[in-house]
Amino acid sequence: MDQQLPGRVRVVVFDVGETLIDESRLWAQQAHTVGVSPFTLMGVIGALIEQQESHHKAWDILGVEAPSAATEIRPGDFYPDALDCLLAARDTGFVVGIAGNQLAGATSCLRAGGFDADFIASAAKWGVAKPSTSFFSLIADASGAEPGEILYVGDRLDNDIIPAAVGFRTALLRRGPWGQIHSRHVDSSLADLRLDSLTELASIFRAATSGAPAEQPANELRRDDPAIRTVRASDADRPSYR
């Protein structure tokens, strides 16, 4: 079924984990760190997701201490369709942001991988993380746009779609354990778009702007707009994982 971009969207903001990056290696490393098999850890997390419980309970269930060190994102962790989608959003005139409860040092990894968004939000620097609605209010502040002009793209109902749906337009991406399970829940209907890939979203961006006159920008809010506030994370930032 064809999907269309919701009206008035001028800013597109991407979640990080299981939206831009594949967390399989990161979770496997966390499992090895605490001395359990990746299959066991991921099975427990899957059961918690299905029960709508916090995945942080996995460590207690397994009887181990939660890993204290963050796992660094590497170039090979990016999903193949992620950069193309971000570039498609930029090329068609949208202001682009990245905002998630990402790992320490994620900002430099994202920029090194070519994900040079107009703003990259830091949960640690702001002192607030998803699913707090304050996190989304700060995204609106950073973008200089009204909530209804922002499309937030994520893989989770609890962290992304439900808290953002208070004013943002939203896109639920069905991949990763959260995306696969949450896409079957009735609350998935809260999302304006339901996607199987970011390739699909890139096509929606291009279709939404294909009819715009060449001499006019697709959106009034531009990257050089002084209302867009640059937000960068420092190496000292220590946002919580997921």
Side-chain angles (χ1 to χ4, degrees), residues 6 12 17 22 59 66 84 96 106 120 124 139 144 160 174 190 195 200 212 214:
V12 180
D22 180 346
W59 311 114
D84 178 70
V96 177
I120 298 180
I139 290 176
D160 303 325
R174 189 178 68 183
L190 293 172
L195 309 166
E200 184 180 352

Side-chain angles (χ1 to χ4, degrees), residues 17 20 29 42 69 87 95 130 133 136 173 188 216 222 235:
L20 299 180
Q29 185 169 326
M42 294 174 189
L87 294 176
V95 169
K130 297 184 300 181
T133 54
F136 294 93
L173 182 60
S188 66
Q216 296 180 2
R222 306 303 298 171
D235 290 340

Side-chain angles (χ1 to χ4, degrees), residues 25-234:
R25 183 191 61 81
L26 282 67
W27 279 115
Q29 185 169 326
Q30 296 277 283
H32 290 308
T33 297
V34 300
V36 301
S37 73
F39 182 71
T40 299
L41 175 60
M42 294 174 189
V44 171
I45 289 174
L48 289 169
I49 296 170
E50 183 64 44
Q51 296 167 14
Q52 301 185 49
E53 298 276 356
S54 171
H55 67 281
H56 293 293
K57 292 183 178 181
W59 311 114
D60 291 334
I61 292 172
L62 294 169
V64 297
E65 291 284 339
S68 57
T71 305
E72 183 181 2
I73 297 170
R74 297 175 183 172
D77 296 324
F78 294 110
Y79 274 111
D81 59 1
L83 183 56
D84 178 70
C85 186
L86 184 144
L87 294 176
R90 289 177 64 92
D91 290 346
T92 49
F94 296 101
V95 169
V96 177
I98 298 173
N101 295 346
Q102 64 264 33
L103 302 168
T107 297
S108 58
C109 293
L110 288 163
R111 293 194 186 279
F115 293 82
D116 192 16
D118 297 300
F119 65 92
I120 298 180
S122 165
K125 193 166 188 176
W126 282 346
V128 63
K130 297 184 300 181
S132 172
T133 54
S134 297
F135 186 87
F136 294 93
S137 295
L138 288 167
I139 290 176
D141 291 343
S143 71
E146 295 296 321
E149 298 171 324
I150 303 170
L151 178 72
Y152 190 80
V153 185
D155 65 301
R156 294 176 57 166
L157 288 176
D158 56 346
N159 259 18
D160 303 325
I161 305 306
I162 292 174
V166 295
F168 285 44
R169 311 313 292 262
T170 58
L172 177 63
L173 182 60
R174 189 178 68 183
R175 69 174 169 205
W178 281 270
Q180 294 292 341
I181 294 172
H182 285 183
S183 65
R184 298 186 292 108
H185 291 179
V186 65
D187 283 345
S188 66
S189 63
L190 293 172
D192 296 283
L193 299 173
R194 288 171 291 282
L195 309 166
D196 291 324
S197 71
L198 290 181
T199 298
E200 184 180 352
L201 182 58
S203 297
I204 292 172
F205 290 151
R206 293 177 177 123
T209 58
S210 60
E215 68 275 11
Q216 296 180 2
N219 299 284
E220 295 176 1
L221 187 66
R222 306 303 298 171
R223 296 185 185 88
D224 57 359
D225 192 317
I228 301 173
R229 182 162 58 85
T230 301
V231 182
R232 290 188 173 89
S234 69

